[in-house]
Amino acid sequence: MSDRNIRVEPVVGRAVEEQDVEIVERKGLGHPDSLCDGIAEHVSQALARAYIDRVGKVLHYNTDETQLVAGTAAPAFGGGEVVDPIYLLITGRATKEYEGTKIPAETIALRAAREYINETLPFLEFGTDVVVDVKLGEGSGDLQEVFGEDGKQVPMSNDTSFGVGHAPLTETERIVLEAERALNGDYSDDNPAVGQDIKVMGKREGDDIDVTVAVAMVDRYVDDLDGYEAAVAGVREFVADLATDYTDRNVSVHVNTADDYDEGAIYLTTTGTSAEQGDDGSVGRGNRSNGLITPNRSMSMEATSGKNPVNHIGKIYNLLSTEIARTVVDEVDGIREIRIRLLSQIGQPIDKPHVADANLVTEDGIEIADIEDEVEAIIDAELENVTSITERVIDGELTTF
Amino acid sequence: MSDRNIRVEPVVGRAVEEQDVEIVERKGLGHPDSLCDGIAEHVSQALARAYIDRVGKVLHYNTDETQLVAGTAAPAFGGGEVVDPIYLLITGRATKEYEGTKIPAETIALRAAREYINETLPFLEFGTDVVVDVKLGEGSGDLQEVFGEDGKQVPMSNDTSFGVGHAPLTETERIVLEAERALNGDYSDDNPAVGQDIKVMGKREGDDIDVTVAVAMVDRYVDDLDGYEAAVAGVREFVADLATDYTDRNVSVHVNTADDYDEGAIYLTTTGTSAEQGDDGSVGRGNRSNGLITPNRSMSMEATSGKNPVNHIGKIYNLLSTEIARTVVDEVDGIREIRIRLLSQIGQPIDKPHVADANLVTEDGIEIADIEDEVEAIIDAELENVTSITERVIDGELTTF
Amino acid sequence: MSDRNIRVEPVVGRAVEEQDVEIVERKGLGHPDSLCDGIAEHVSQALARAYIDRVGKVLHYNTDETQLVAGTAAPAFGGGEVVDPIYLLITGRATKEYEGTKIPAETIALRAAREYINETLPFLEFGTDVVVDVKLGEGSGDLQEVFGEDGKQVPMSNDTSFGVGHAPLTETERIVLEAERALNGDYSDDNPAVGQDIKVMGKREGDDIDVTVAVAMVDRYVDDLDGYEAAVAGVREFVADLATDYTDRNVSVHVNTADDYDEGAIYLTTTGTSAEQGDDGSVGRGNRSNGLITPNRSMSMEATSGKNPVNHIGKIYNLLSTEIARTVVDEVDGIREIRIRLLSQIGQPIDKPHVADANLVTEDGIEIADIEDEVEAIIDAELENVTSITERVIDGELTTF
Amino acid sequence: MSDRNIRVEPVVGRAVEEQDVEIVERKGLGHPDSLCDGIAEHVSQALARAYIDRVGKVLHYNTDETQLVAGTAAPAFGGGEVVDPIYLLITGRATKEYEGTKIPAETIALRAAREYINETLPFLEFGTDVVVDVKLGEGSGDLQEVFGEDGKQVPMSNDTSFGVGHAPLTETERIVLEAERALNGDYSDDNPAVGQDIKVMGKREGDDIDVTVAVAMVDRYVDDLDGYEAAVAGVREFVADLATDYTDRNVSVHVNTADDYDEGAIYLTTTGTSAEQGDDGSVGRGNRSNGLITPNRSMSMEATSGKNPVNHIGKIYNLLSTEIARTVVDEVDGIREIRIRLLSQIGQPIDKPHVADANLVTEDGIEIADIEDEVEAIIDAELENVTSITERVIDGELTTF
């Protein structure tokens, strides 16, 4: 048996899929909060790689506090313009010098932000539609970490913190997640009127699922109100169709419900994001690390995006617990729902959490005792391999929002 | 019967008090995230009052995005100094002109921030230890609200959002909440070495409660390491004693556990907050509106601090659901735990939520049916009186973090 | 006779060319102060054109206060990097709305800045090596100007101000001016190691002219110290040769005199400008509108770059007086030196200055009386045509620094 | 004889007092440009003193680039308010660490700015009416200076630069200078309606002097238009009377000439400075180091305010040449006007300028030869004592604008 403090227990209550009311939300890639998450995380990855390239290990940094101040725009059918630019401030700490080697943390951050914005928001021009500024204070030298060195050891927990992960997703969760991904993927490639700021909210009452989608339409691809209505209808149809892949329940899809055509109030943007007109954003206020906001489930308040993946225990445990939950559900039969919670113990190695807590709802006919050992073994193995989380974060393989 | 869609149902699971593991956290007033929450909310109140004074109603604004960029300090026994100032950016939207009346939203915001900082962090000098800047964009004119006028009506929901509230607090929650409040109250008045940035974490496993407190000590009141140790011991003893008021369980108290006296690593500050040295902060990343972070309970991601209390449905419903939960528990016997969730319906009056959902754990021998009507009547009455939430927020009677 | 108050008088003193000691300086295009001048003026032109395009006339604006905060760089033979970005703040006033038409003044300014930086400093990457921010306040509506309308009239002076111009340039002045232009022109095209931040100082004592040139070398084109020395020697030779086109006096040329090869102190940059490492800049602190700093001559303190060319009398009179001086010297024989001063009269049409003052040194054998009428007629005609200055500024035909 | 290269020669031309047209300007203490000069210089003094206190010598810094971005105000008879705050950015370089001692350069700068603003603009509230931010880059360590140590030596010139000074002031110059000082001194103490932003322009044609004064009146001390007219009349009378102390020529005084009472356009402010409404400012664009802008005289473009007084040769030579000119005129009879120019030689001790150039206009009957030795001896002595300039700057005894 492992010497890790792993507990496997039945869940307190019904599986979320069986609860009467379920609420799920996803803020898409171009939403101001997600944009901040994405930039913070992209900056973090770029810094981590730069440290490894230049000094052979990841030094102390945290860039989890990007703040976006909205601009003003004058969208118009056929193409409008940004009037006052968006302002985006990347803040945090970074080690700027190590044993005589200078690390240009601020220009690395700006380049990462440009790259991310160019990829994510093709209609937002870096430097003119959005002014990106950076204030990275100097990190304390004594917090330098040793990830990336030969013979790396397991870091110690720097804080008392906890992470939580769930699996599998409910039907409503999958619809919400996949709808945004598909709309922001192939669908908007084929339908450029569909912008990147897409917010999807799912509400299930019993067997009735309402999916409410807010899509920032891109004005240069919308000629008139008819074109706008067609774009809205297209999204509605697409999401309704997509939902049938994930559920047999009744699904109603609503798109841009705040529009009022009589008053000319429609969700038209020049850049594909509401950040152009009044919607501020910041890191850690949107999706949790599984890509969703799920008030029916335990959530951590921790902002994972932008945190140093070597020693920030809140980030590591949120990502790891989600990974564990998914692996358990994939590999062990008979589980309807699992929740994994990892609680750190300050000053102890991060592969030895204070508690690793698995709560399960099993299929009918399956007892906890039947699968307990299997589940515990997976948790044990994943904890042993905790530093792979760090590698995968740096390589961009794990998403944080 | 009310025409509101109110449901009263048994909870899915055990009461939190009876769960095996419970985690609770509170970031105290001087924590960088709480500081941002407090300033955002104080600015909001000041703006709301200014609108009422000048034009008779609250106009459109939102100031829920304050960002704090940490400074650098050189604390020292007997008194050190701030080296690089903290930078604090108040952002958001505000209506600056209404029917010819100018409203100096930015100077109002700065004055509110100064007032709040002076009250909350007596050792942090506004304008030199912390540079406070402000960027308030112009809000759209068509969102002007009518709160405060004679014959006020109930506003319409501006969004699909939800709020959640719980009652009563568990023992662990009460200890965490009251310990911070007491330390930041009379205790620090009497013991000025105790700074305002106090973070309290409670972890209960079965009947063992660990309370971990991190206190930023104020250097001018600490002469040497002995003095520091005495201050730490004082806090430990005080919290251990306080805990006995709220529980009979075993309580262990740990204070400033990251200290390493041999290496001279102690939690000493010049200003009483870690914002002076490396810890950034922003709104909505700390305590929920009941003052706590409670991963064992449903939480909303909504940042309530700084939001307009007239029409921001996420703010109103989070505060209101908490109020309802408390009232129900106060007035109805036989409830061990209640959770209230309010889900808004866009375009409908805010006193008519899409769903008002009460989940209860009752005392032994009490059935839901016994108290259902009573509970529903309280919810109905509170919803009818929803606009009183707005008034109480503006008057500073309700806390948001 | 004209009704303009024109005076033609002998100069008080010797022509500058005959004075014993003469000092002349030019800050080249890539100097931090000149960069601010250039951006301010480029933004001004872009705004003026946008106003004409959108509302048919130039509205109130002034953008004469660009501030540059230097960055940090780590230049290295073969190519170094910018460590901390340069920060550039474009400030001023602009009209953002006129009779319902929105003018995106801030994004226009940012685009103009990007265009100018890309053209002027090919090695400085906009948005990452330099963060450009903008704060344009709203100009007062009642200052809207009518330039560009049909039947345009001559504007009134908005201030009591004065302008001064001289002609012809002395030999030393021509050498200084032409050396920088040639180095920043064909020479650096052929010798890319020569950066854009070139400062030229000329000092003449009697018939000995010292030309001191400071050139920011571009590291990616300099392989080693030998390459650096060769680049320095190339500049020295080129300027020495160029000087012979303008003078028969003795000319000594000194390049990068602050270098200390033994200590490895050389003027090597990554971006071609000292703004990358410690040298701040702002508008109006460098060259006067004739492109030179000339302590031997009357100068105006007025910052001409970035000022509104329709109604800013200081800008117009500095440019006009220089134009007049040049025209008089071109068209009238017998003048060794002329100084034109124009003093405005607040509230009067700008073609009617309070005083237009011409001071001449004539060739031997020529009396003022011989040429007075001719000179006065030219001044009169130029003043009558004053609004052409505005047009030529907007079209970018007149330089301001 | 001295080994310094001192030349004493007749001036090229008439004394300014005898020229036909003379123009003089002074921007008073509360003018946005002067405010920047004053803050930059006050910050510089505070830094210099802090370096001496903490490490025994002045380290490298320059703070000569303060930028002010104007606010918006709504002045009103009896008292208005600031609507959008003024933004003031202190930039430059400073050494922040020296042999293990940290110097809190940024908080020192902010404290100095607060002190200066509180003293100079009593109606402008630091931190709310004006947001003061600071960006001080790290200065290069190898430029650390040794002023203040025992056995201090004379520093070397860091640049090729020049300074120029004149004496005595003409009548017009004295009137302009003394009028502003008196208005900003006892007069405004007795007449608080007179604000601190006072601009005085003097124009002399022959024996007619026009003095134009623009005074920002302070709204809380002006009840109505009658009160305003009375305040304007008071200033006019006071200046007219003051002028008689300095001249027998005809003097006309004009106050707030841009007012238009019919249109309600008057120069009323809430804070006593035009910075509150649309007028930006920056260092080095206003008064030269003798307190005046004098286009009839040689001027240096050098911004003296905020420069390091130990090694910045442009600052030292501008102040020193002015001191020399005054001393010569005080101590040597028979001089109508003197101009002193000092040209530095890079890498040479600053007490050995490349050229020290004195140009004189003598009284009738006095030849240069009569006084040449006396003048040269004074120049020689002053140069020998050049480091006293540094001390007096740090002690605040010398003004720079």
PDB file of all heavy atoms in Angstrom, chain A residues 245-256:
ATOM      1  N   ASP A 245     -25.657  15.073 -30.324  1.00  0.00           N
ATOM      2  CA  ASP A 245     -24.539  14.129 -30.156  1.00  0.00           C
ATOM      3  C   ASP A 245     -24.324  13.757 -28.695  1.00  0.00           C
ATOM      4  O   ASP A 245     -23.660  12.759 -28.401  1.00  0.00           O
ATOM      5  CB  ASP A 245     -23.222  14.737 -30.676  1.00  0.00           C
ATOM      6  CG  ASP A 245     -23.259  14.983 -32.171  1.00  0.00           C
ATOM      7  OD1 ASP A 245     -24.191  14.486 -32.840  1.00  0.00           O
ATOM      8  OD2 ASP A 245     -22.354  15.687 -32.668  1.00  0.00           O
ATOM      9  N   TYR A 246     -24.815  14.590 -27.782  1.00  0.00           N
ATOM     10  CA  TYR A 246     -24.465  14.385 -26.381  1.00  0.00           C
ATOM     11  C   TYR A 246     -25.652  14.056 -25.486  1.00  0.00           C
ATOM     12  O   TYR A 246     -25.461  13.715 -24.327  1.00  0.00           O
ATOM     13  CB  TYR A 246     -23.740  15.622 -25.833  1.00  0.00           C
ATOM     14  CG  TYR A 246     -22.485  15.931 -26.612  1.00  0.00           C
ATOM     15  CD1 TYR A 246     -22.437  16.979 -27.521  1.00  0.00           C
ATOM     16  CD2 TYR A 246     -21.357  15.130 -26.459  1.00  0.00           C
ATOM     17  CE1 TYR A 246     -21.294  17.239 -28.260  1.00  0.00           C
ATOM     18  CE2 TYR A 246     -20.216  15.387 -27.205  1.00  0.00           C
ATOM     19  CZ  TYR A 246     -20.183  16.443 -28.094  1.00  0.00           C
ATOM     20  OH  TYR A 246     -19.064  16.678 -28.825  1.00  0.00           O
ATOM     21  N   THR A 247     -26.862  14.194 -25.975  1.00  0.00           N
ATOM     22  CA  THR A 247     -28.017  13.963 -25.094  1.00  0.00           C
ATOM     23  C   THR A 247     -29.238  13.529 -25.895  1.00  0.00           C
ATOM     24  O   THR A 247     -29.353  13.837 -27.080  1.00  0.00           O
ATOM     25  CB  THR A 247     -28.367  15.223 -24.290  1.00  0.00           C
ATOM     26  OG1 THR A 247     -29.315  14.867 -23.270  1.00  0.00           O
ATOM     27  CG2 THR A 247     -28.963  16.309 -25.162  1.00  0.00           C
ATOM     28  N   ASP A 248     -30.123  12.850 -25.190  1.00  0.00           N
ATOM     29  CA  ASP A 248     -31.434  12.566 -25.761  1.00  0.00           C
ATOM     30  C   ASP A 248     -32.501  13.436 -25.110  1.00  0.00           C
ATOM     31  O   ASP A 248     -33.684  13.322 -25.423  1.00  0.00           O
ATOM     32  CB  ASP A 248     -31.780  11.082 -25.543  1.00  0.00           C
ATOM     33  CG  ASP A 248     -30.818  10.180 -26.284  1.00  0.00           C
ATOM     34  OD1 ASP A 248     -30.402  10.556 -27.404  1.00  0.00           O
ATOM     35  OD2 ASP A 248     -30.488   9.101 -25.748  1.00  0.00           O
ATOM     36  N   ARG A 249     -32.065  14.267 -24.172  1.00  0.00           N
ATOM     37  CA  ARG A 249     -33.035  15.134 -23.508  1.00  0.00           C
ATOM     38  C   ARG A 249     -33.523  16.218 -24.484  1.00  0.00           C
ATOM     39  O   ARG A 249     -32.956  16.406 -25.562  1.00  0.00           O
ATOM     40  CB  ARG A 249     -32.375  15.792 -22.295  1.00  0.00           C
ATOM     41  CG  ARG A 249     -32.214  14.805 -21.112  1.00  0.00           C
ATOM     42  CD  ARG A 249     -31.253  15.342 -20.099  1.00  0.00           C
ATOM     43  NE  ARG A 249     -31.347  14.676 -18.794  1.00  0.00           N
ATOM     44  CZ  ARG A 249     -30.302  14.475 -17.985  1.00  0.00           C
ATOM     45  NH1 ARG A 249     -29.080  14.855 -18.350  1.00  0.00           N
ATOM     46  NH2 ARG A 249     -30.472  13.890 -16.818  1.00  0.00           N
ATOM     47  N   ASN A 250     -34.531  16.942 -24.041  1.00  0.00           N
ATOM     48  CA  ASN A 250     -35.042  18.057 -24.853  1.00  0.00           C
ATOM     49  C   ASN A 250     -34.090  19.232 -24.755  1.00  0.00           C
ATOM     50  O   ASN A 250     -33.775  19.666 -23.650  1.00  0.00           O
ATOM     51  CB  ASN A 250     -36.406  18.525 -24.331  1.00  0.00           C
ATOM     52  CG  ASN A 250     -37.398  17.385 -24.257  1.00  0.00           C
ATOM     53  OD1 ASN A 250     -37.449  16.549 -25.158  1.00  0.00           O
ATOM     54  ND2 ASN A 250     -38.163  17.341 -23.155  1.00  0.00           N
ATOM     55  N   VAL A 251     -33.672  19.738 -25.876  1.00  0.00           N
ATOM     56  CA  VAL A 251     -32.743  20.865 -25.855  1.00  0.00           C
ATOM     57  C   VAL A 251     -33.349  22.049 -26.594  1.00  0.00           C
ATOM     58  O   VAL A 251     -33.813  21.918 -27.733  1.00  0.00           O
ATOM     59  CB  VAL A 251     -31.404  20.484 -26.523  1.00  0.00           C
ATOM     60  CG1 VAL A 251     -30.476  21.691 -26.573  1.00  0.00           C
ATOM     61  CG2 VAL A 251     -30.746  19.324 -25.791  1.00  0.00           C
ATOM     62  N   SER A 252     -33.364  23.206 -25.931  1.00  0.00           N
ATOM     63  CA  SER A 252     -33.756  24.446 -26.606  1.00  0.00           C
ATOM     64  C   SER A 252     -32.531  25.337 -26.677  1.00  0.00           C
ATOM     65  O   SER A 252     -31.809  25.476 -25.681  1.00  0.00           O
ATOM     66  CB  SER A 252     -34.816  25.213 -25.812  1.00  0.00           C
ATOM     67  OG  SER A 252     -35.882  24.368 -25.483  1.00  0.00           O
ATOM     68  N   VAL A 253     -32.296  25.928 -27.820  1.00  0.00           N
ATOM     69  CA  VAL A 253     -31.129  26.791 -27.977  1.00  0.00           C
ATOM     70  C   VAL A 253     -31.594  28.225 -28.220  1.00  0.00           C
ATOM     71  O   VAL A 253     -32.486  28.473 -29.034  1.00  0.00           O
ATOM     72  CB  VAL A 253     -30.246  26.324 -29.156  1.00  0.00           C
ATOM     73  CG1 VAL A 253     -29.049  27.239 -29.321  1.00  0.00           C
ATOM     74  CG2 VAL A 253     -29.808  24.880 -28.939  1.00  0.00           C
ATOM     75  N   HIS A 254     -30.976  29.156 -27.487  1.00  0.00           N
ATOM     76  CA  HIS A 254     -31.308  30.581 -27.606  1.00  0.00           C
ATOM     77  C   HIS A 254     -30.025  31.329 -27.933  1.00  0.00           C
ATOM     78  O   HIS A 254     -29.019  31.126 -27.258  1.00  0.00           O
ATOM     79  CB  HIS A 254     -31.873  31.112 -26.291  1.00  0.00           C
ATOM     80  CG  HIS A 254     -32.905  30.222 -25.695  1.00  0.00           C
ATOM     81  ND1 HIS A 254     -34.239  30.293 -26.045  1.00  0.00           N
ATOM     82  CD2 HIS A 254     -32.810  29.201 -24.806  1.00  0.00           C
ATOM     83  CE1 HIS A 254     -34.910  29.359 -25.379  1.00  0.00           C
ATOM     84  NE2 HIS A 254     -34.069  28.681 -24.616  1.00  0.00           N
ATOM     85  N   VAL A 255     -30.044  32.177 -28.938  1.00  0.00           N
ATOM     86  CA  VAL A 255     -28.822  32.875 -29.338  1.00  0.00           C
ATOM     87  C   VAL A 255     -29.048  34.388 -29.304  1.00  0.00           C
ATOM     88  O   VAL A 255     -30.043  34.874 -29.849  1.00  0.00           O
ATOM     89  CB  VAL A 255     -28.377  32.443 -30.754  1.00  0.00           C
ATOM     90  CG1 VAL A 255     -27.120  33.186 -31.183  1.00  0.00           C
ATOM     91  CG2 VAL A 255     -28.155  30.932 -30.782  1.00  0.00           C
ATOM     92  N   ASN A 256     -28.153  35.069 -28.631  1.00  0.00           N
ATOM     93  CA  ASN A 256     -28.200  36.540 -28.550  1.00  0.00           C
ATOM     94  C   ASN A 256     -29.580  37.035 -28.136  1.00  0.00           C
ATOM     95  O   ASN A 256     -30.218  37.860 -28.805  1.00  0.00           O
ATOM     96  CB  ASN A 256     -27.754  37.159 -29.884  1.00  0.00           C
ATOM     97  CG  ASN A 256     -26.264  36.937 -30.106  1.00  0.00           C
ATOM     98  OD1 ASN A 256     -25.597  36.304 -29.295  1.00  0.00           O
ATOM     99  ND2 ASN A 256     -25.733  37.490 -31.193  1.00  0.00           N
TER     100      ASN A 256
END
